[in-house]
Amino acid sequence: MLKSTAFQTDAEAKAFDLEHRRKIRFNIGKYDAAVRAGLQLYTDHELARARAASLKAGVLEKLDDYLLQFEAAFTARGGRVVWASDAQEALDEIGRLTAARHTRTVVKAKSMTTEEIHVNKYLQSKGIESVETDLGEYIVQLNGERPYHIVTPAMHLSKADIANIFVKHLGIAHTDDAQQLVLTARHLLRDKYTAAEVGITGGNFLIAKEGGVAVTENEGNARLSATFPKLHIAVVGIEKLIPQLTDLDLFWPLLSTSGTGQQVTVYNTVYFGPRQAGEPDGPEEMVVILLDNGRTNLLARPDRREALRCIRCGACLNVCPVYKNIGGHTYETTYSGPIGSVISPHLSGLKEHQHLSFASSLCGACTSVCPVRINLHNLLLLNRQESVREGHNTLVEKTAIGLWRWSMRHRWALDVLPGRLKDFSLGYLLDHAGWRKRRESLRVADKSFRELWKGRQ
């Protein structure tokens, strides 16, 4: 089945699943209230957005220089940088690093880049246990699912759903006590941290001048994943750079407030390399894998480049009316919602993912909340334009637009065609678009507007 067909089928099922919509709207509603309160703490939120957008735009204009600056600073402290042009190169390096340490267990902190290249699946194929340590990621991993949301992987699950997952996969007694469920996961994960030979994280920001990897989280699991194992691997997209350490005072609050309404997340850590002489904690070895995987496709296009400013806060998902009705899994991509619809066609292929750019009301709500001012709804339009230009739209759509264009240039034809023929033609197109599945059919008037106007005169 084509991805576009599967998307339409799944979207229809989710949009009319009232229980699913109840859970999502309840969870997103809590975030909305928290974000509104958090934004009140800014004296000038628009100024902060403007500063962040300007800084990220400046970095993207000189990304090659900033990447080399980061590499020089990071390697000066004993770290190692690997450049991966695609997912396979990144996985091959992870394979070599884990094999060198005879790895049996890997602990992973929440990371969208590792989801993007399917690290868990790769490690399992090598006989290595890969354990997600973020609670939400751990729950969806147990349930055999991909993350539902950029920030909240298990947003689609209720407390009762999670309890049932724990009973099924962990064999515990059923409980409705959320604290007990958390303690169960914490107890099981503690042993994994001490047993794992390798820890894998992502990175929210790469700091060019000082050569640091900044990781933000709320549970402390990323710190444990990065410091207990002897090897720490950070897989980070090349677009995550910011100029210097002091820029975090702008980006950390923007990230947390836009996503969850917090002034700042609970744990914020900057890793500058492996454990140094005299330091009691930290890994013996640290490797940063700089992942391209299609990002330079966007970088090379000035009209689309701004999409790389994204700091993965999830604000555009929370406000999107389409996402709130069809949910994250329907997109069948690593990145869902408006930002996913913008970047996925360029990261994974326009032909396969062009339908995502059409799954939008173009209301502009996503653009209005983006903390780095990405003009998301305009980028969706540009993707649509490119899709049509490359001929990825269906034959029925091409025919319909062609006939409409011809009739607009030859208006007399609309007067000649009888109303019944117009009804039949329009009905065929509406059936193709799925209109008449949920709505009454449209009926064309017997006389065209032109004929009615002539009658008045």
Side-chain angles (χ1 to χ4, degrees):
M1 182 185 293
L2 293 174
K3 282 203 170 186
S4 57
T5 304
F7 176 83
Q8 291 175 349
T9 303
D10 293 344
E12 181 177 0
K14 289 297 184 184
F16 290 92
D17 183 342
L18 298 183
E19 178 61 16
H20 170 263
R21 288 171 64 177
R22 182 194 66 78
K23 293 174 185 175
I24 300 313
R25 294 190 177 192
F26 173 76
N27 287 324
I28 288 181
K30 291 195 296 184
Y31 277 134
D32 288 344
V35 169
R36 282 194 296 271
L39 291 178
Q40 298 305 310
L41 300 174
Y42 275 90
T43 54
D44 194 338
H45 182 242
E46 289 306 310
L47 177 60
R49 292 178 70 205
R51 286 182 58 206
S54 177
L55 273 172
K56 289 292 286 184
V59 168
L60 293 174
E61 290 295 326
K62 299 179 180 179
L63 186 60
D64 51 347
D65 293 336
Y66 280 109
L67 285 167
L68 291 173
Q69 185 181 17
F70 167 80
E71 181 181 36
F74 185 74
T75 54
R77 291 177 58 86
R80 188 160 71 88
V81 172
V82 175
W83 301 70
S85 62
D86 56 28
Q88 193 56 54
E89 286 189 7
L91 293 174
D92 288 343
E93 182 61 28
I94 291 171
R96 284 190 287 270
L97 289 167
T98 52
R101 290 189 173 272
H102 306 288
T103 304
R104 292 177 296 176
T105 304
V106 168
V107 283
K108 260 181 90 268
K110 185 165 77 68
S111 161
M112 296 307 294
T113 49
T114 57
E115 291 290 340
E116 181 182 335
I117 63 176
H118 307 294
V119 164
N120 287 343
K121 182 178 180 181
Y122 173 80
L123 291 174
Q124 288 166 8
S125 72
K126 300 292 184 181
I128 299 172
E129 181 187 24
S130 180
V131 183
E132 295 287 355
T133 61
D134 173 88
L135 181 58
E137 288 272 4
Y138 181 64
I139 291 166
V140 296
Q141 184 184 35
L142 283 177
N143 210 34
E145 296 178 321
R146 61 158 55 94
Y148 186 91
H149 187 281
I150 289 175
V151 175
T152 315
M155 178 181 278
H156 61 302
L157 299 173
S158 65
K159 182 170 65 174
D161 294 330
I162 296 169
N164 290 333
I165 291 170
F166 277 30
V167 170
K168 178 180 178 181
H169 296 283
L170 302 180
I172 68 169
H174 191 279
T175 176
D176 290 328
D177 186 345
Q179 186 174 3
Q180 186 59 45
L181 293 171
V182 172
L183 289 174
T184 298
R186 180 181 295 174
H187 175 74
L188 290 170
L189 290 172
R190 286 286 174 173
D191 293 336
K192 300 297 183 181
Y193 293 122
T194 54
E197 295 86 1
V198 176
I200 299 178
T201 72
N204 296 91
F205 303 102
L206 294 174
I207 304 163
K209 182 179 178 181
E210 291 83 2
V213 180
V215 176
T216 180
E217 49 159 335
N218 278 313
E219 300 174 21
N221 60 293
R223 284 187 178 180
L224 293 172
S225 298
T227 53
F228 267 96
K230 294 183 178 181
L231 168 63
H232 173 200
I233 304 172
V235 185
V236 191
I238 58 173
E239 81 282 13
K240 291 297 186 71
L241 279 156
I242 57 175
Q244 56 190 1
L245 191 66
T246 51
D247 293 323
L248 287 173
D249 74 339
L250 170 66
F251 284 101
W252 263 343
L254 269 179
L255 173 63
S256 56
T257 304
S258 301
T260 62
Q262 297 168 276
Q263 294 182 54
V264 69
T265 45
V266 178
Y267 297 95
N268 293 283
T269 313
V270 185
Y271 302 97
F272 294 100
R275 184 171 69 241
Q276 304 295 298
E279 293 181 347
D281 302 311
E284 295 175 352
E285 181 183 5
M286 182 174 176
V287 178
V288 173
I289 299 177
L290 295 174
L291 181 67
D292 179 353
N293 204 34
R295 286 159 175 80
T296 47
N297 295 337
L298 281 166
L299 185 66
R301 309 185 65 168
D303 60 337
R304 317 291 173 89
R305 187 178 297 162
E306 64 181 289
L308 293 175
R309 294 182 206 160
C310 177
I311 58 174
R312 305 292 191 266
C313 67
C316 62
L317 281 69
N318 295 343
V319 78
C320 177
V322 175
Y323 182 91
K324 285 192 283 190
N325 280 281
I326 68 173
H329 288 157
T330 305
Y331 290 82
E332 286 290 331
T333 57
T334 302
Y335 306 104
S336 55
I339 186 61
S341 297
V342 166
I343 66 176
S344 294
H346 300 282
L347 299 184
S348 307
L350 179 63
K351 184 176 181 180
E352 188 176 11
H353 295 98
Q354 58 90 21
H355 61 281
L356 297 178
S357 298
F358 292 87
S360 169
S361 65
L362 296 179
C363 63
C366 50
T367 300
S368 70
V369 299
C370 178
V372 287
R373 287 187 168 176
I374 301 171
N375 200 353
L376 287 161
H377 67 290
N378 184 60
L379 295 178
L380 289 169
L381 278 173
L382 291 176
N383 280 358
R384 294 183 185 188
Q385 183 185 59
E386 183 178 353
S387 173
V388 172
R389 188 168 58 243
E390 293 188 6
H392 298 312
N393 48 333
T394 65
L395 178 61
V396 172
E397 183 182 342
K398 293 176 185 176
T399 303
I401 294 297
L403 289 172
W404 175 82
R405 181 171 56 188
W406 186 87
S407 65
M408 290 297 101
R409 291 175 176 176
H410 305 84
R411 289 301 307 273
W412 57 266
L414 294 178
D415 299 336
V416 172
L417 295 174
R420 289 183 180 179
L421 181 57
K422 295 176 187 177
D423 284 343
F424 174 80
S425 301
L426 185 59
Y428 177 77
L429 294 174
L430 292 177
D431 281 339
H432 179 75
W435 175 277
R436 296 204 295 193
K437 188 179 291 185
R438 303 289 177 184
R439 305 172 181 87
E440 292 183 3
S441 182
L442 300 178
R443 183 176 179 274
V444 180
D446 292 330
K447 291 184 178 182
S448 69
F449 175 80
R450 184 176 177 178
E451 290 174 307
L452 293 171
W453 187 256
K454 281 184 177 180
R456 287 189 60 184
Q457 294 178 329

